[in-house]
Amino acid sequence: PMAQDMKPKYNSLKTELLKETLIEGVTAARSNPVRIGSNSGGASWEGKDPEKRVLIGTNAVDFDYLKTMKMELASGRDFSREFVSDIAKDTTGNFLVNEEVVKIMGVDEAVGKSFSFMGINGRIVGILKNFNFKGADQPIEPIAFALTGPEYLNFILIRLTQGNIPEAFKTAEKAWNNVLPEYPFDYTFIDEDYDNLFRTQLRLTRLLKYFTILAVIIACLGLYGLSAYSTERRTNEIGIRKVMGAGTLTILYSMVKEYMLLVVIALVIALPAGWIIVGNLLKQFASRIEMNILIFIAIAVGSLIVALATVTLQAVKASLINPAEALKVE
């Protein structure tokens, strides 16, 4: 965060930071990149329907924003120091917009078109490829960037070199203390800020994972207990079957089939219910995976294998029992 009194020294800090090889880029913005607001008023362009009102995200940025944030241009150019008209002053300035803005405008090529927004009149100089600046549970919205001086910017953005983050971090802190020793080096990491948008969903995911594991363990214990109880009750029956010539595989089949039938019935109920529940959960997200029937088939096969492995031990013990001993059991 950049307090008001720090802003006159921003350019000095930027120069100091860019001297370091462990710093890949430095820029600034009015809003945190994952907390960009929207405004529905004042957007206008050539050929716009006067009755049409659109919600467009807005952020004021410094030079090198695209480079530092590693954003890609679909067409046109970035803000440049070579073009004085790029900087928003009084009521004039140029814009960078994303592909969603072009869709709203309904034109094939928006670069060079006149564009007015938030009291600034100018032209679109570049089109950014779409990117998420809100959570994946929300669709990508149109957004426009204006270039302004440090007095309108609230956040300094520093990209550290990958592979040596701790050393790069120390380098950034040292440069900060050299230029702004009177202010603490208060910071957050953008990836952590973005993760915070999904804190509730991530917590729910972890809980579901643990409860699923617990449910599987309880189900296996229940199956094991039932199979042990059933084996003890059917000891005499197994002895008679063996005396009458039944083989090990025949006895195994007779012991296992009743449990497999119950698991199949459970799957017939659970899989459609799971498909509906997961489908409704995914509808909360604008960017989401598609459900695949193969995953549900794998779940069914996995359930059968786990159930089979659980009851097989008791079934094998029962099939190996001595018929003479089994017939003594009442």
Side-chain angles (χ1 to χ4, degrees), residues 119-148:
I120 300 173
N121 303 303
R123 295 190 177 275
I124 295 172
V125 297
I127 310 299
L128 298 169
K129 290 185 177 180
N130 280 340
F131 60 94
N132 279 309
F133 58 93
K134 293 188 177 180
D137 55 332
Q138 300 180 49
I140 294 176
E141 296 180 2
I143 185 170
F145 289 100
L147 179 68
T148 66

Side-chain angles (χ1 to χ4, degrees), residues 224-239 255 258-259 311 313-315 317-319 321 325-330:
Y224 185 83
L226 281 172
S227 61
Y229 177 69
S230 177
T231 300
E232 185 177 348
R233 286 186 58 211
R234 298 175 63 181
T235 302
N236 191 269
E237 174 194 334
I238 294 167
M255 295 288 294
E258 59 183 280
Y259 297 104
V311 301
L313 178 61
Q314 289 296 330
K317 287 171 62 177
S319 65
I321 196 170
E325 295 296 328
L327 291 172
K328 294 179 182 179
V329 177
E330 294 296 332

Side-chain angles (χ1 to χ4, degrees), residues 211-254:
F211 278 119
T212 299
I213 294 171
L214 181 62
V216 170
I217 292 173
I218 292 173
C220 289
L221 287 174
L223 274 175
Y224 185 83
L226 281 172
S227 61
Y229 177 69
S230 177
T231 300
E232 185 177 348
R233 286 186 58 211
R234 298 175 63 181
T235 302
N236 191 269
E237 174 194 334
I238 294 167
I240 294 173
R241 285 177 179 270
K242 296 199 73 171
V243 169
M244 299 299 292
T248 301
L249 290 178
T250 303
I251 294 174
L252 276 173
Y253 174 73
S254 67

Side-chain angles (χ1 to χ4, degrees), residues 7-254:
K7 295 180 180 182
K9 294 186 177 181
Y10 162 71
N11 286 320
S12 298
L13 175 64
K14 183 174 181 177
T15 302
E16 189 77 13
L17 286 166
L18 290 176
K19 292 178 182 177
E20 305 293 341
T21 57
L22 293 176
I23 304 298
E24 286 191 12
V26 181
T27 188
R30 186 180 65 189
S31 301
N32 183 309
V34 298
R35 298 193 184 96
I36 297 175
S38 300
N39 192 296
S40 61
S44 180
W45 55 86
E46 296 176 20
K48 181 195 173 189
D49 182 353
E51 301 298 321
K52 186 174 186 178
R53 293 182 64 83
V54 294
L55 192 68
I56 298 180
T58 177
N59 201 5
V61 299
D62 182 30
F63 291 107
D64 308 314
Y65 189 83
L66 301 194
K67 174 188 172 184
T68 304
M69 298 302 293
K70 292 191 175 180
M71 299 167 103
E72 298 181 40
L73 281 168
S75 62
R77 62 173 177 83
D78 191 3
F79 290 133
S80 173
R81 292 174 176 83
E82 297 178 5
F83 297 89
V84 179
S85 59
D86 283 354
I87 302 175
K89 289 184 178 179
D90 297 325
T91 59
T92 62
N94 290 330
F95 296 92
L96 291 171
V97 301
N98 68 348
E99 293 171 315
E100 289 300 308
V101 172
V102 180
K103 290 180 184 178
I104 291 173
M105 293 174 67
V107 297
D108 295 328
E109 181 55 68
V111 174
K113 297 284 186 182
S114 64
F115 191 81
S116 299
F117 187 48
M118 300 293 290
I120 300 173
N121 303 303
R123 295 190 177 275
I124 295 172
V125 297
I127 310 299
L128 298 169
K129 290 185 177 180
N130 280 340
F131 60 94
N132 279 309
F133 58 93
K134 293 188 177 180
D137 55 332
Q138 300 180 49
I140 294 176
E141 296 180 2
I143 185 170
F145 289 100
L147 179 68
T148 66
E151 62 271 20
Y152 299 105
L153 307 177
N154 300 318
F155 291 91
I156 301 171
L157 303 169
I158 305 169
R159 178 172 289 277
L160 308 179
T161 301
Q162 289 186 349
N164 196 1
I165 297 297
E167 193 63 31
F169 180 82
K170 290 179 182 177
T171 299
E173 186 175 19
K174 179 180 177 182
W176 178 281
N177 290 332
N178 287 340
V179 179
L180 296 165
E182 65 273 28
Y183 294 97
F185 187 50
D186 184 19
Y187 65 90
T188 62
F189 286 96
I190 293 297
D191 57 342
E192 293 177 356
D193 290 343
Y194 194 75
D195 286 343
N196 287 336
L197 297 175
F198 300 98
R199 183 173 293 174
T200 302
Q201 288 91 337
L202 292 171
R203 188 184 296 116
L204 178 62
T205 300
R206 285 194 294 270
L207 286 174
L208 286 174
K209 179 176 67 176
Y210 297 141
F211 278 119
T212 299
I213 294 171
L214 181 62
V216 170
I217 292 173
I218 292 173
C220 289
L221 287 174
L223 274 175
Y224 185 83
L226 281 172
S227 61
Y229 177 69
S230 177
T231 300
E232 185 177 348
R233 286 186 58 211
R234 298 175 63 181
T235 302
N236 191 269
E237 174 194 334
I238 294 167
I240 294 173
R241 285 177 179 270
K242 296 199 73 171
V243 169
M244 299 299 292
T248 301
L249 290 178
T250 303
I251 294 174
L252 276 173
Y253 174 73
S254 67

Side-chain angles (χ1 to χ4, degrees), residues 286-330:
S287 302
R288 56 181 179 265
I289 61 171
E290 296 297 328
M291 290 192 296
N292 192 330
I293 189 66
L294 294 178
I295 294 176
F296 286 80
I297 293 173
I299 291 170
V301 172
S303 300
L304 290 170
I305 291 173
V306 169
L308 184 63
T310 302
V311 301
T312 294
L313 178 61
Q314 289 296 330
V316 169
K317 287 171 62 177
S319 65
L320 297 177
I321 196 170
N322 187 328
E325 295 296 328
L327 291 172
K328 294 179 182 179
V329 177
E330 294 296 332

